[in-house]
Amino acid sequence: MVLAAPESCETLIIGAGMSGLAAGIRLAQYDHDVVVLDRHSLWGGLNSFYKKAGKPFDVGLHALTNFVPKGTRGRPLTRILRQLRIPYEALQLGQQWGSESAFPDVKLAFSNDFELLRSEVATKFPAEIDGFDRLSRYLADYPDLPSGGELVMARPRLREYLRDERLIDLLLLPILYYGSPTPDDIEWSSFVVLWKSLYEEGFAKPRGGVRTILSLLRNRYRELGGRLCMNQGVAAILHRAGRAVGVRLDDGREIRCERILSSAGFVETMALCGSEWEERFPAQTHAGRMTFVECISVLDRPVTDLGHDQTITFFNTSERLAYRPPAAPYDTASGVICCPDHYEDQDEGCGPALRLTLRAHPEAWFEMTPEQYAAQKEAAWRDGHAAILPFAPDIRPHTTFVDTFTPRTIAHFTGHTFGVVYGSPQKHPEGLTPLSQLFLCGTDQGFLGIVGAMLSGIAMANRHALGAASPA
Ligand SMILES: Cc1cc2nc3c(=O)[nH]c(=O)nc-3n(C[C@H](O)[C@H](O)[C@H](O)COP(=O)(O)OP(=O)(O)OC[C@H]3O[C@@H](n4cnc5c(N)ncnc54)[C@H](O)[C@@H]3O)c2cc1C
């Protein structure tokens, strides 16, 4: 049921992605008068779903990170479920079979058992194992919260523990691909969060894919009386004397509110506040530039029949790690190969499939004619699948259907400048903006990925709307 937006509310949330829905649930639990608005007809934002040629696809789901078994206390996944009052079983999680970080001459396997990664390092980099152990002990005790202020990068910190740059590259490759807005490195506290999410905890997938998570969130929010208004974009944030007081919708109607939580991104949110703020935080200097092309190939047989049983392969074809916006529309020097049904007790709704993610130019895709756009998508699929042959089987003769999305698709469905996935390199861990009563949640607050976005929504709702009313 699509709801019309009301004339006023207590808290207005921009965006029905993972962070906005989680924030909405948290507030509705306390009988808060909350409205979630989204410009699109489908919820989920960067992690939504669609149908093409009669087949159901998830937009981006490779993996739910932060897997922990039922009953584990105090970890991000179980904290989220507890705060949203969603039973663990409802996610129907299947664990990954196993993943790898792969360079041409050396690979590190990892799984949901940290010991596998440790033993790989001990075997392949014996001189580094003491440093690796010191690093993992240090990280296990490090707080898993994003921090603000001056950017401290991960590489120089890692060099305090590890001497072999190739090992540093191997460890960074999955982490950068799953959360870095910064070329070739990542801010230290985000590194710590992702180390725990990927290596200490690991990957799982809900049966039914992203729809399962989104249905749980949407149903929970509605059961609690929260209002979800789709197809209702925010054209402007209204403010008076430095304080946000409401929004104007695309159709001209206005909604007054006491506070706004925006998951649109920092630069995008400030642009909604008017040209003065847009000029103070221009996209060219303040937005991130890391974005991707993803080709989803539906196959005539399971990938295991072609001899490949990895869940996710993070690959790099050159000797040193390549993670930066490419000069061309796409770059095949590194990327991610994901087999979405290589999880325990899971299958992919569209049939056997392989997803290939490549880095993309943040502007080139927006400037193409329809013919150039179609040709570049085809070329990305062709060149990408040739480049991954050292790491994955040749799926080209077995491909029955391909769908490719680009930065242009991401920007169209989420409003993120340049179609960036991990937002701006400058995070705002307190969720504050220059305007009072206007707060951020989601990617630019600092938590990344599906679990991170939900954590962010909960944390920002607790801090800025519920205050002391919310139990920890
Ligand atoms: C291809 C791809 C693959 C990914 N794979 C994974 C994965 O496997 N695992 C994982 O954990 N994470 C993955 N991610 C990342 C994950 O999807 C995001 O980190 C997370 O979904 C971000 O949620 P969010 O709520 O912060 O923002 P978003 O999902 O960006 O939500 C923001 C919402 O705000 C809405 N909006 C913006 N502006 C306005 C406006 N003016 N008016 C109204 N509405 C507006 C948008 O329409 C959107 O719905 C992937 C992302 C992509 C793109």
Side-chain angles (χ1 to χ4, degrees):
M1 183 180 52
V2 175
L3 282 182
E7 283 178 8
S8 67
C9 64
E10 222 172 330
T11 299
L12 184 141
I13 298 175
I14 304 178
M18 300 284 177
S19 65
L21 287 171
I25 294 174
R26 194 69 191 142
L27 296 179
Q29 274 167 351
Y30 288 88
D31 297 326
H32 205 88
D33 178 19
V34 54
V35 172
V36 177
L37 294 178
D38 202 293
R39 183 166 274 136
H40 286 283
S41 55
L42 277 179
W43 39 94
L46 282 172
N47 249 148
S48 194
F49 54 91
Y50 61 99
K51 231 177 191 178
K52 209 161 188 180
K55 298 176 199 302
F57 292 99
D58 285 349
V59 175
L61 184 68
H62 287 182
L64 187 79
T65 57
N66 302 84
F67 173 81
V68 284
K70 184 175 178 211
T72 311
R73 293 172 73 89
R75 298 310 307 150
L77 183 62
T78 40
R79 276 207 315 259
I80 290 170
L81 296 175
R82 184 171 58 81
Q83 294 238 349
L84 300 182
R85 316 227 207 297
I86 293 175
Y88 182 95
E89 296 76 11
L91 284 177
Q92 303 175 66
L93 292 179
Q95 296 195 56
Q96 65 166 323
W97 292 356
S99 296
E100 60 187 4
S101 175
F103 278 61
D105 56 339
V106 59
K107 292 177 181 180
L108 287 182
F110 62 98
S111 67
N112 294 356
D113 177 359
F114 186 75
E115 196 43 44
L116 173 62
L117 178 64
R118 189 191 175 276
S119 71
E120 286 276 287
V121 174
T123 312
K124 294 173 182 168
F125 296 89
E128 297 284 347
I129 191 61
D130 291 343
F132 179 85
D133 283 342
R134 271 196 306 120
L135 173 68
S136 39
R137 277 197 303 274
Y138 176 70
L139 292 174
D141 295 333
Y142 198 91
D144 47 357
L145 292 173
S147 68
E150 208 183 313
L151 288 186
V152 176
M153 302 311 289
R155 263 183 201 282
R157 298 292 303 269
L158 290 172
R159 288 188 187 119
E160 294 170 19
Y161 297 87
L162 305 170
R163 280 159 305 187
D164 194 322
E165 290 289 332
R166 285 185 331 142
L167 176 56
I168 294 178
D169 277 356
L170 275 159
L171 293 170
L172 278 176
L173 173 61
I175 286 181
L176 300 193
Y177 263 97
Y178 273 8
S180 181
T182 316
D184 290 328
D185 207 341
I186 184 166
E187 187 273 323
W188 174 248
S189 67
S190 299
F191 171 85
V192 176
V193 170
L194 286 158
W195 171 279
K196 292 176 189 228
S197 315
L198 269 60
Y199 296 143
E200 286 180 16
E201 295 175 345
F203 299 149
K205 195 178 149 202
R207 193 164 179 79
V210 81
R211 286 170 179 78
T212 302
I213 310 177
L214 288 171
S215 301
L216 285 167
L217 294 178
R218 186 201 51 184
N219 295 346
R220 185 94 190 95
Y221 177 62
R222 284 183 173 163
E223 276 159 26
L224 292 162
R227 283 173 290 180
L228 179 59
C229 304
M230 304 306 296
N231 294 312
Q232 314 205 28
V234 172
I237 290 176
L238 308 173
H239 48 94
R240 206 178 311 122
R243 178 192 168 106
V245 293
V247 297
R248 183 178 316 111
L249 301 182
D250 291 339
D251 63 11
R253 280 175 304 144
E254 292 188 358
I255 307 178
R256 299 279 146 178
C257 59
E258 287 174 24
R259 69 184 68 73
I260 299 171
L261 268 183
S262 171
S263 65
F266 178 74
V267 166
E268 296 82 350
T269 300
M270 295 321 294
L272 291 172
C273 296
S275 52
E276 179 204 338
W277 292 102
E278 191 171 8
E279 280 158 25
R280 274 171 73 169
F281 300 105
Q284 281 300 337
T285 47
H286 284 73
R289 295 179 68 79
M290 288 311 305
T291 181
F292 307 97
V293 169
E294 184 161 297
C295 309
I296 309 169
S297 306
V298 180
L299 309 179
D300 64 6
R301 65 200 64 196
V303 188
T304 42
D305 286 4
L306 303 171
H308 184 78
D309 61 2
Q310 294 296 318
T311 304
I312 302 176
T313 299
F314 300 87
F315 69 91
N316 197 88
T317 59
S318 51
E319 206 181 303
R320 291 304 309 273
L321 173 55
Y323 182 82
R324 63 196 80 100
Y330 60 90
D331 189 322
T332 61
S334 68
V336 186
I337 304 159
C338 171
C339 298
D341 34 26
H342 289 187
Y343 288 88
E344 280 172 15
D345 193 27
Q346 305 285 317
D347 50 33
E348 188 70 353
C350 64
L354 185 140
R355 307 177 80 108
L356 174 62
T357 312
L358 302 171
R359 284 165 297 123
H361 192 286
E363 283 151 297
W365 292 91
F366 295 86
E367 294 154 5
M368 293 175 193
T369 62
E371 295 72 29
Q372 289 167 333
Y373 188 68
Q376 284 296 323
K377 288 209 296 189
E378 222 178 289
W381 182 82
R382 192 187 55 235
D383 295 348
H385 285 89
I388 62 174
L389 290 179
F391 307 97
D394 191 355
I395 59 153
R396 292 170 294 181
H398 305 289
T399 300
T400 58
F401 179 82
V402 178
D403 194 35
T404 299
F405 61 84
T406 72
R408 192 153 123 184
T409 329
I410 299 174
H412 176 73
F413 285 105
T414 66
H416 290 302
T417 313
F418 306 133
V420 295
V421 174
Y422 300 126
S424 160
Q426 183 64 53
K427 300 300 180 198
H428 303 262
E430 307 300 324
L432 300 175
T433 70
L435 294 181
S436 72
Q437 301 308 103
L438 172 62
F439 306 105
L440 299 178
C441 65
T443 309
D444 276 348
Q445 185 258 327
F447 287 109
L448 296 155
I450 297 170
V451 169
M454 290 193 276
L455 262 186
S456 165
I458 293 169
M460 293 301 104
N462 286 350
R463 181 171 311 174
H464 298 300
L466 296 173
S470 64

